[in-house]
Amino acid sequence: MTRVLLTGGAGYIGSHTAVALCQSGFEPVLLDDFSNSVPAVLDRLARITGRAFPCEHGDAADVSFVRQVIERHAIEAVVHFAGFKAVGESVAEPLKYFRNNVGSALGVLDAMRETSCRALVFSSTATVYGDPDRVPVNESAPRRYENPYAQTKGMVEDILAATARSDPSWCFGVLRYFNPVGAHPSGLIGEDPHGTPNNLMPYISQVAIGRRPALQIFGGDYATPDGTGVRDYIHVSDLAAGHVAALRHLLERREGLIVNLGSGQGHSVLEVLRAYERACGHAIAHQLAPRRPGDVACYYADPGLAHSLLGWRAQRTLDEMCADAWRWQSGNPNGYHGG
Ligand code: NAD
Ligand code: UDP
């Protein structure tokens, strides 16, 4: 069984990917510093899969720590999720983002260089496209960084490209995620943001459960069918399956790739709100608010390359994303913190 190290594996996407990898015959090993997650996720993963995953507590930027983890577990491939992801915080505290997002990638690569492990999948983001010239967005669209977070992801993409050029034994899979939402259908794992959620779906979830009074809809005057912003929402379990497909590709073909992982469908804020109301069975308070600075009107993926290269396609509908988000939220009103 191929052992795969998931840095940031206790987080939202990492935990779902651990389940998908385990169920596809891989052996996940988690590494996390718990800066944005909690060890309680490990029990939940064991309940879902019937397996206790090893989890190493530490910093992905620490080269000797990561090297020891790779050697101890005979790791053959890495999925590098570890990093910070809040766009607004990256504007306020850019150094924190450059240090952790670039530093953790360098730490993992340097650690891998000291071992024979040469395959890595990297969590990039559609945010690297900024405000695209046209939709759907394909992988050849220019990268335009509108905030330090996007820049850190673009920098790591460039570091991977240069590293691959320097030595052909490396192979890297860069996955540009669109908007991951939803939760595992068991309702045992899901997104558990600290403080006020920045993103739409967790915000709606907290209004639906009564933790917040109302959703603010940021802008009703965009040039979109109903005036609200349009995004490409992808179920986190579909995203997890995309990692399995990418890893198989890297390990079997030993060739790198850069692909979008999105559904290829755009949904407006109001469409998401209505779908969530159907899922939870009651109306969700909302009000129109000014546009959020830096937001673009509309973007969604051209996911064609992921399909032709990896045979992967998002399967789950917006209604399923909302139903699973609601199962997680209603079963765990305070996330992993109980109560
Ligand atoms: P998350 O915060 O839930 O998970 C990230 C995990 O990494 C957390 O468990 C955190 O504790 C850990 N971590 C952070 N820095 C670390 C370090 N230096 N060493 C060890 N562990 C560290 O976030 P997520 O939503 O699961 O995102 C995973 C990755 O995907 C991130 O790199 C993020 O930038 C990227 N991404 C996320 C989204 C999204 O909307 N969620 C979209 C595009 C890309
Ligand atoms: N959005 C909103 N209210 C919120 C959070 C988000 O109206 O409280 C809108 C936002 O303007 C965008 C969409 O929902 O049009 C998705 O935003 P999110 O932050 O989830 O993703 P991103 O903007 O990073 O794609």
Side-chain angles (χ1 to χ4, degrees):
M1 287 229 282
T2 308
R3 294 201 181 167
V4 182
L5 180 66
L6 310 188
T7 71
Y12 172 48
I13 302 170
S15 56
H16 288 80
T17 303
V19 171
L21 283 170
C22 175
Q23 292 175 344
S24 305
F26 291 86
E27 240 180 88
V29 173
L30 279 44
L31 180 159
D32 209 296
D33 66 0
F34 299 112
S35 54
N36 196 39
S37 54
V38 288
V41 71
L42 298 167
D43 289 340
R44 306 293 185 94
L45 290 173
R47 281 168 67 187
I48 294 171
T49 63
R51 299 273 313 277
F53 300 141
C55 183
E56 302 280 359
H57 184 177
D59 184 353
D62 180 340
V63 180
S64 74
F65 165 67
V66 178
R67 192 195 65 239
Q68 285 166 34
V69 170
I70 291 174
E71 286 170 347
R72 189 175 325 126
H73 295 279
I75 295 294
E76 289 173 58
V78 177
V79 187
H80 181 52
F81 296 103
F84 297 145
K85 61 172 180 176
V87 170
E89 189 184 46
S90 80
V91 175
E93 293 184 72
L95 294 180
K96 175 175 172 180
Y97 275 69
F98 287 109
R99 184 175 300 109
N100 195 38
N101 291 8
V102 180
S104 65
L106 289 173
V108 169
L109 288 168
D110 264 334
M112 290 174 73
R113 195 166 53 84
E114 294 174 12
T115 70
S116 58
C117 179
R118 286 287 178 278
L120 177 136
V121 170
F122 173 58
S123 297
S124 190
T125 169
T127 310
V128 296
Y129 298 121
D131 190 356
D133 296 329
R134 60 185 69 84
V135 288
V137 192
N138 70 30
E139 292 80 357
S140 56
R143 292 176 305 170
R144 295 188 185 121
Y145 310 134
E146 289 175 3
N147 52 69
Y149 167 69
Q151 199 176 357
T152 66
K153 292 294 182 179
M155 286 171 74
V156 174
E157 289 192 1
D158 291 341
I159 290 167
L160 296 179
T163 306
R165 278 194 297 274
S166 75
D167 174 353
S169 67
W170 286 104
C171 62
F172 298 121
V174 170
L175 305 183
R176 293 181 178 154
Y177 311 157
F178 279 67
N179 290 53
V181 296
H184 189 267
S186 63
L188 288 169
I189 56 173
E191 191 169 11
D192 183 18
H194 293 168
T196 308
N198 296 305
N199 298 111
L200 178 64
M201 187 77 85
Y203 204 103
I204 294 180
S205 291
Q206 293 195 4
V207 178
I209 200 72
R211 276 174 67 178
R212 299 189 187 274
L215 171 74
Q216 312 290 313
I217 297 179
F218 298 142
D221 57 353
Y222 284 110
T224 59
D226 64 21
T228 64
V230 168
R231 295 288 183 276
D232 183 329
Y233 297 94
I234 173 171
H235 194 295
V236 64
S237 296
D238 281 333
L239 192 69
H243 291 73
V244 176
L247 263 177
R248 284 205 172 115
H249 182 97
L250 293 191
L251 294 170
E252 285 163 17
R253 308 225 186 139
R254 307 301 308 180
E255 72 188 19
L257 54 94
I258 298 179
V259 296
N260 288 339
L261 292 184
S263 72
Q265 307 232 337
H267 290 291
S268 73
V269 175
L270 280 174
E271 283 178 305
V272 176
L273 183 76
R274 299 301 172 217
Y276 208 106
E277 288 179 335
R278 285 194 291 280
C280 72
H282 60 80
I284 295 171
H286 59 278
Q287 60 209 36
L288 218 49
R291 291 181 179 193
R292 184 171 63 177
D295 266 358
V296 308
C298 170
Y299 69 83
Y300 53 94
D302 174 350
L305 184 61
H307 187 241
S308 60
L309 209 56
L310 308 177
W312 171 91
R313 198 177 252 157
Q315 312 275 346
R316 293 155 177 91
T317 63
L318 181 62
D319 280 325
E320 288 171 274
M321 299 176 211
C322 293
D324 288 337
W326 176 241
R327 190 175 303 106
W328 157 250
Q329 182 68 65
S330 53
N332 307 270
N334 295 307
Y336 291 109
H337 293 91

